[in-house]
Amino acid sequence: MSKLIDFAASVGEDIKNVNIDIVDLNKEVYSPQNGQRYISPITYWYPDFNKTTSKWNRAVSVKDSLGFVIINPSSGVGTVKDDMYAKQTVRARAVGARVLGYVPTGYGNFESGEIKRQIYQYQEWYGIAGVFLDECINGFSQQAALIPKYQELSNELRKEFGQAFTIVANPGSNVTKELLDTADVFMNFESSAEKYVDGSRTITPDYCLSENANKFWHVIYGVTKENYQSVIDKLDKEHVGHVYLVD
């Protein structure tokens, strides 16, 4: 079972104390229906594995509970290979992480050829296992008109890179049912702990419950020693396979 560990870029004293408590108590975050969860941090940091205060080293220390990590050299693949990212990718893979390359989609303002070009470059330079598509639509309201464009992109990526290549989409919120087949994983919650636990919104729509829990990724900000138990209790009730808690 997964231990909750905070991988925040800047960790406050409160959340550090919470993490000590969690480690000492071997606090497990689980769902009897969904099985094991994975810690999947948002690792936009520059590789710093040679530092004693390394954020990356903390991120990959989970090992058996580690899911995805993301490399993001320059809001995308960049124009030249960075050997530090290449070394960091090897280190992350060595402890079982699936490494994703960051590519923005501009909420529909993209060319599929450019996205594929970046993925090919990521593969050549860093050997990624999948892509992290940021700035994705949720498909509601006016964004509904862009659903076919994302469906076409998904079809092209699967044809080009194969079924074993992981497509992760980040709309930061729930998506329409029509979008569920366009990615293997959705970051369908990226907001505050307060919004996560206040009961004012549906985190997981009913039509998502038939999907594997590992299709969903929740990123929760503002976790403190005062609210972390409420966040854990909420996680236990949600249909989610990847989590990341930060202060």
Side-chain angles (χ1 to χ4, degrees):
M1 290 295 182
S2 302
K3 296 177 182 178
L4 277 181
I5 298 179
D6 170 36
F7 303 112
S10 176
V11 184
E13 193 63 33
D14 282 348
I15 199 69
K16 285 194 288 186
N17 291 336
V18 170
N19 285 334
I20 292 170
D21 291 341
I22 291 169
V23 172
D24 287 345
L25 295 173
N26 193 27
K27 178 63 183 179
E28 296 175 334
V29 179
Y30 68 97
S31 165
Q33 292 77 32
N34 299 343
Q36 182 173 357
R37 289 205 177 96
Y38 296 93
I39 304 298
S40 292
I42 305 300
T43 52
Y44 292 164
W45 321 302
Y46 188 76
D48 59 353
F49 52 83
N50 54 352
K51 297 180 179 179
T52 56
T53 57
S54 171
K55 304 180 188 77
W56 268 101
N57 287 351
R58 291 190 65 199
V60 300
S61 66
V62 183
K63 297 184 180 179
D64 290 344
S65 300
L66 189 59
F68 300 118
V69 297
I70 306 165
I71 59 171
N72 183 14
S74 185
S75 295
V77 73
T79 56
V80 294
K81 181 181 179 181
D82 188 321
D83 288 339
M84 290 293 283
Y85 276 103
K87 292 176 182 177
Q88 186 61 73
T89 300
V90 171
R91 294 170 69 92
R93 283 201 303 263
V95 293
R98 290 185 64 80
V99 180
L100 309 174
Y102 176 98
V103 180
T105 69
Y107 302 101
N109 185 23
F110 66 83
E111 297 294 334
S112 61
E114 170 59 15
I115 290 178
K116 288 187 286 186
R117 182 198 69 79
Q118 290 203 48
I119 293 173
Y120 273 119
Q121 197 66 78
Y122 269 120
Q123 287 186 321
E124 179 183 344
W125 288 344
Y126 308 116
I128 58 169
V131 63
F132 182 85
L133 298 175
D134 199 16
E135 300 176 357
C136 291
I137 63 168
N138 59 31
F140 293 104
S141 301
Q142 294 180 341
Q143 292 186 347
L146 291 167
I147 291 176
K149 187 172 185 178
Y150 278 83
Q151 291 172 327
E152 182 178 355
L153 174 65
S154 175
N155 290 337
E156 289 186 31
L157 295 184
R158 295 189 193 285
K159 181 178 180 180
E160 197 88 9
F161 301 101
Q163 294 299 315
F165 186 79
T166 302
I167 302 172
V168 178
N170 179 23
S173 64
N174 288 321
V175 297
T176 61
K177 186 175 182 179
E178 292 77 13
L179 280 171
L180 286 178
D181 288 337
T182 62
D184 301 298
V185 178
F186 285 93
M187 187 176 289
N188 65 325
F189 186 89
E190 186 182 14
S191 192
S192 69
E194 180 181 2
K195 291 180 179 179
Y196 196 69
V197 302
D198 67 9
S200 65
R201 71 207 71 233
T202 299
I203 305 297
T204 306
D206 289 344
Y207 55 79
C208 293
L209 298 179
S210 60
E211 303 286 341
N212 190 301
N214 287 339
K215 194 177 184 75
F216 304 106
W217 185 351
H218 293 177
V219 176
I220 306 163
Y221 301 107
V223 179
T224 68
K225 66 180 181 181
E226 288 80 19
N227 65 25
Y228 87 95
Q229 187 61 56
S230 296
V231 171
I232 290 172
D233 292 343
K234 180 67 172 175
L235 276 168
D236 285 347
K237 298 174 183 177
E238 288 298 330
H239 192 65
V240 57
H242 297 268
V243 299
Y244 178 45
L245 308 185
V246 295
D247 69 339

